[in-house]
Amino acid sequence: MANYGLIGRLQAQPGKGNELAEILLEASRLMENAAGCKQYMVALLEDDADAVQIIEVWDSREDHDNSLAYPGVKELIGRAMPLLSGSPKTGIHLSVLGGHGLNK
């Protein structure tokens, strides 16, 4: 059975990319214990330091959706939203078949 994957990109206001990335790294630490989370990676784009890429792999889409109610997540979302340069765009949804590092 394929895992659920999500690739998202958040655009921070000018000069706020590192601050946004730090908040998302806090989220990644929360997700270490979230049910079904196999991977939560945060990266800055090399050609745009205010664009933050998030790559997630979950056992299921339901596990991902449930993670939004995980303790502390709403607080992090509240801190991140004012840093964005616009509304978050819909991410790319994937059926992840496998690969290195997904054996959690």
Side-chain angles (χ1 to χ4, degrees):
M1 181 171 143
N3 296 119
Y4 172 71
L6 180 63
I7 299 174
R9 179 177 171 167
L10 298 174
Q11 188 68 40
Q13 296 176 27
K16 298 291 185 178
N18 284 327
E19 188 175 348
L20 179 60
E22 285 300 320
I23 293 169
L24 292 166
L25 286 169
E26 286 182 53
S28 76
R29 289 187 286 277
L30 286 179
M31 295 302 103
E32 287 178 12
N33 298 312
C37 185
K38 293 184 167 292
Q39 185 177 67
Y40 191 108
M41 186 173 73
V42 177
L44 290 174
L45 274 66
E46 288 187 0
D47 62 348
D48 184 351
D50 293 318
V52 183
Q53 196 82 29
I54 307 98
I55 302 168
E56 304 175 55
V57 179
W58 296 84
D59 285 335
S60 68
R61 187 173 190 149
E62 181 180 29
D63 285 333
H64 170 268
D65 293 347
N66 290 340
S67 75
L68 298 174
Y70 200 80
V73 170
K74 286 188 172 108
E75 184 265 333
L76 291 174
I77 292 170
R79 287 176 40 209
M81 291 301 286
L83 300 176
L84 300 180
S85 68
S87 297
K89 306 278 188 270
T90 301
I92 299 168
H93 303 270
L94 307 165
S95 291
V96 178
L97 303 176
H100 178 71
L102 298 178
N103 297 326
K104 180 179 167 189

